[in-house]
Amino acid sequence: MATIYNVHPDTPQVRRIEEIREALQRGAVVLYPTDTVYAIGCDLNAKSAVERVRRIKQLSNDKPLTFLCSSLSNIADYAYVSDPAYRMMRRLIPGPYTFLLPATKLVPRLVMNPKRKTTGIRVPDHPVCSAMLKALGNPIISTSAHLVDEETDGQPKTKTNPGISRFELFDQLDKLVDVIVDDRSEPGYQVSSILDLTSEEPILVRKGLGWEAVTAWAAEVN
């Protein structure tokens, strides 16, 4: 059974965050809230934990994993950032955006896209995530924790069909993860917007939360 840590959604308790950090450093797989959906993750550099995340989500090794960074400067350690990409990210983060960027050597091969050598990176606008990242000092894997359930008949979750509660989600994953971080928020139903920044012109790959801000930025610079 997973250990549940109850944390304050706006001012996470230092002791609780330290306990979560220690678990991550030991290679724990964690279920935690983000500014979009609940995510399953682990320390980016914990290979065995990354492999477990893949097994939980039934992801093959050619499917890249997104990870969270603490800041724009932290992103530059793990990805090559062009000047146009930097200007866009500086405008948008922190927020519900996943940026596809060329990976540096610090990104484990098990995480990146093996063919394109790219990686997906987020800087979330979420106090609990920020506290976890600051305490750990490393990026944290972040893949949606939503599993197919009977209530939604396998259909995408929408505002009128948000899916399961956090307690049902916790029950589903209790035996699969080591730690559950509970800030009393319910699972979100809207995913992040995905922006491909590997070429000169940014490409909106997926419209998720915040896509209107991307469109507004593009209109300003063009």
Side-chain angles (χ1 to χ4, degrees), residues 9-222:
D10 300 315
T11 54
Q13 304 91 320
V14 174
R15 177 64 182 273
R16 288 284 182 268
I17 295 299
E18 283 300 303
E19 291 170 331
I20 296 166
R21 174 189 63 79
E22 291 171 1
L24 285 165
Q25 289 180 327
R26 292 194 301 267
V29 173
V30 179
L31 173 66
Y32 63 97
T34 74
D35 53 352
T36 55
V37 298
Y38 265 80
I40 298 171
C42 62
D43 186 329
L44 176 70
N45 297 317
K47 182 180 179 181
S48 62
V50 174
E51 291 171 341
R52 283 181 59 200
V53 171
R54 285 194 174 280
R55 288 196 297 271
I56 292 170
K57 289 299 300 284
Q58 299 181 3
L59 297 173
S60 60
N61 286 346
D62 63 346
K63 297 291 185 181
L65 290 169
T66 295
F67 58 89
L68 307 182
C69 280
S70 59
S71 64
L72 181 52
S73 60
N74 192 214
I75 287 179
D77 294 329
Y78 296 91
Y80 297 104
V81 181
S82 66
D83 289 341
Y86 176 84
R87 287 192 293 271
M88 170 170 268
M89 289 190 294
R90 186 176 62 180
R91 173 73 174 265
L92 296 175
I93 63 174
Y97 305 98
T98 298
F99 304 105
L100 303 182
L101 294 158
T104 69
K105 293 182 178 179
L106 289 181
V107 179
R109 295 182 65 182
L110 189 60
V111 173
M112 72 173 68
N113 183 312
K115 293 182 179 179
R116 298 185 66 199
K117 298 295 188 293
T118 57
T119 191
I121 302 179
R122 289 194 58 210
V123 178
D125 186 12
H126 194 279
V128 176
C129 290
S130 298
M132 289 168 56
L133 289 163
K134 183 178 180 180
L136 181 63
N138 287 333
I140 298 173
I141 294 293
S142 184
T143 181
S144 170
H146 285 158
L147 305 176
V148 172
D149 61 278
E150 294 179 358
E151 287 185 38
T152 60
D153 297 321
Q155 298 302 311
K157 296 172 177 59
T158 64
K159 188 171 183 178
T160 57
N161 184 31
I164 61 177
S165 71
R166 79 182 193 278
F167 296 116
E168 291 170 313
L169 182 64
F170 294 172
D171 286 343
Q172 282 189 358
L173 293 169
D174 181 57
K175 295 181 180 178
L176 299 177
V177 302
D178 305 303
V179 169
I180 294 174
V181 181
D182 182 8
D183 71 346
R184 301 191 297 277
S185 64
E186 293 301 320
Y189 57 88
Q190 291 182 286
V191 294
S192 65
S193 292
I194 299 179
L195 287 157
D196 187 336
L197 302 181
T198 57
S199 56
E200 289 187 10
E201 292 295 325
I203 299 172
L204 182 61
V205 177
R206 180 178 74 189
K207 283 186 177 181
L209 282 172
W211 70 269
E212 299 92 344
V214 176
T215 303
W217 181 88
E220 287 181 15
V221 298
N222 292 327

